[in-house]
Amino acid sequence: MAINSPEGTRDLLPDEAKFWAHFRDTAFGIFARYGYQPIETPLFEQTDLFVRGIGQATDVVSKEMFTAISGENLRRWVEEGKAPKAKSRLSLRPEGTAGVVRAVVQHDLVPQGAAPAKLMYAGPMFRAERPQKGRQRQFNQVGVECLGAEEPTIDAEAIIMLMRFYEKVGIPRDSMRLLLNSMGCEQCRPAYRELVRAYMDELCDTCMTRAEVNPLRAFDCKNPQCAAIMADAPKITDHLCDECREHYDAVKVLLDGAGVVYEEDYKLVRGLDYYTRTVFEVQVDNGMGAQNAIGGGGRYDKLAEEVGGRPTPGLGFALGFERCVLALEAAGVEFPRAQKCDLFVACVDDSVRARAFALVQECRDAGFTTEMDHQKRSLKSQFKLADKLDAAFVVVMGPDELAAGQVKARNMQTHEEHLVDL
Ligand code: HAM
């Protein structure tokens, strides 16, 4: 039986792989203008990093991590009962923030008093979720993280940059909703959390179980009864401390000044536990199914300390490539086709094949996308292939022309033919 790709994964075939490269380059092009520089971190990290960084109580950590173990460690575990040491417990990254913050701390990228480190990344993330439309087990994200600055200008410029990118890549502005909230800080959130816990009653079992560890998750519950009850729950924005209120107000003033339209949503709590203050999410309804967030992020002023660094405020976001593709398809956006062929070199017979092969290399070295037949097709079939490849010109190499140092070049659009010197 043939082996297919694992459940919840997708192959990016050439057209889509090409679009992914364009998507990433467009994002990096825009983000670079805001001072962001690329960073690459490993696809797996010590499991502890995600447990401490993202939070043990989150779905991402408690249910969705792919944990990896080397063959040798697995053997020792099974045969000798020796569980791997913490350092050897590894997990595929479910998101990029924890790894980037770990790298910033490890390499001291924000020495005291230095300018903030602005970093951008793109690549696959892994979450063992139940696959459905817009929800995969391996998916691609483009993200940014800015460490070392607390000012609301960082929050606002990141949100502005994110919206600029969506528009640049072709997602119509009126199909997107930008939601904004503040999660408060360690001064004001504990008291608010208690208020919500005390308010929670008659919610589903999952919400009631979570109430102990993180009652705010109840705002995320899809159960209609929970949603109805939580609609009247105390709002975080009514319980922010003065500093958080000022910070949140300043972000809004900056967004208003930049003409960025947003909706305040006190129910927006996000699924990762590291957030403090500003959180935001961009949602699209058309063509998306239940998974309608195409990107999101926020501030995480305590995360660096959580993973062993000195206090370093941070803010970032990530956007999901596959969900953006769904949003673009729903908006009827055409994707660029796979690379066009400039030249196709056709052989009249086998005697010219070696010279044709050399000509193909010369044309490629000169910067033209060039192809030839590799299956000994007839001249007619070579023309058919050139058509299929969308070749702009076919260069026909025959023994007689070659003896005169020439080839015949046909413009495939106008069908004009000319003899040209090799
Ligand atoms: P997130 O909201 O978990 O945030 O993921 C960001 C985006 O990744 C989502 O909005 C969605 O488009 C995409 N995504 C997430 N899970 C899946 C999935 N299973 N299948 C397809 N797409 C998915 C983060 O990951 C944070 N690290 C963002 C951040 C950066 N916050 C601060 N800095």
Side-chain angles (χ1 to χ4, degrees), residues 184-213:
C185 66
E186 57 183 359
Q187 303 303 320
C188 51
R189 192 158 47 185
Y192 170 70
R193 214 197 306 248
E194 286 314 310
L195 269 181
V196 174
R197 187 176 289 142
Y199 170 86
M200 284 170 72
D201 197 11
E202 294 179 25
L203 300 184
C204 70
D205 289 349
T206 316
C207 286
M208 294 315 285
T209 318
R210 278 173 172 167
E212 270 318 300
V213 195

Side-chain angles (χ1 to χ4, degrees), residues 87-365:
K87 262 191 161 177
S88 311
R89 279 183 224 142
L90 308 169
S91 290
L92 296 182
R93 60 182 189 190
E95 54 104 58
T97 312
V100 170
V101 172
R102 193 261 316 132
V104 166
V105 169
Q106 184 175 337
H107 305 286
D108 199 16
L109 296 186
V110 195
Q112 245 149 6
K118 288 179 153 184
L119 303 163
M120 57 187 175
Y121 53 90
M125 307 294 160
F126 308 85
R127 295 184 193 176
E129 297 189 79
R130 197 166 46 79
Q132 55 173 234
K133 187 173 184 184
R135 191 163 74 188
Q136 294 169 217
R137 295 184 152 195
Q138 177 176 334
F139 55 97
N140 289 293
Q141 278 188 349
V142 176
V144 304
E145 313 296 344
C146 172
L147 282 115
E150 209 174 354
E151 285 301 301
T153 40
I154 288 291
D155 310 43
E157 77 168 16
I159 295 172
I160 292 168
M161 178 172 99
L162 174 65
M163 299 314 285
R164 293 274 195 280
F165 165 70
Y166 285 132
E167 286 181 58
K168 173 88 179 173
V169 88
I171 304 180
R173 181 61 183 90
D174 58 6
S175 70
M176 295 183 280
R177 271 180 294 131
L178 167 62
L179 306 179
L180 188 68
N181 193 19
S182 173
M183 299 285 292
C185 66
E186 57 183 359
Q187 303 303 320
C188 51
R189 192 158 47 185
Y192 170 70
R193 214 197 306 248
E194 286 314 310
L195 269 181
V196 174
R197 187 176 289 142
Y199 170 86
M200 284 170 72
D201 197 11
E202 294 179 25
L203 300 184
C204 70
D205 289 349
T206 316
C207 286
M208 294 315 285
T209 318
R210 278 173 172 167
E212 270 318 300
V213 195
N214 190 354
L216 304 192
R217 286 267 83 78
F219 284 111
D220 258 350
C221 184
K222 300 280 181 277
N223 179 319
Q225 193 186 332
C226 295
I229 295 172
M230 292 310 286
D232 293 326
K235 298 183 171 76
I236 175 89
T237 37
D238 293 335
H239 298 274
L240 295 175
C241 61
D242 289 347
E243 286 81 11
C244 287
R245 153 84 28 223
E246 263 173 45
H247 194 276
Y248 185 46
D249 286 345
V251 172
K252 289 190 286 178
V253 167
L254 289 163
L255 292 178
D256 292 338
V260 174
V261 178
Y262 55 85
E263 292 168 32
E264 287 183 73
D265 183 358
Y266 68 90
K267 296 192 296 304
L268 182 69
V269 289
R270 309 263 309 132
L272 311 158
D273 277 354
Y274 47 60
Y275 290 114
T276 50
R277 296 191 166 170
T278 316
V279 286
F280 51 95
E281 195 162 281
V282 181
Q283 299 181 349
V284 170
D285 293 323
N286 276 353
M288 300 300 289
Q291 307 304 320
N292 66 351
I294 58 171
R299 183 162 277 289
Y300 46 82
D301 292 340
K302 294 285 151 200
L303 180 55
E305 282 163 84
E306 214 61 70
V307 303
R310 57 170 165 266
T312 312
L315 174 123
F317 64 71
L319 45 101
F321 168 68
E322 288 79 5
R323 288 195 199 162
C324 287
V325 168
L326 290 177
L328 286 163
E329 280 170 355
V333 174
E334 296 262 328
F335 295 94
R337 270 176 46 80
Q339 191 171 347
K340 252 182 91 138
C341 177
D342 298 316
L343 289 174
F344 186 95
V345 178
C347 303
V348 169
D349 61 33
D350 241 14
S351 69
V352 297
R353 190 166 287 275
R355 183 63 190 97
F357 184 75
L359 178 63
V360 168
Q361 314 313 322
E362 287 163 34
C363 293
R364 287 171 179 162
D365 290 345

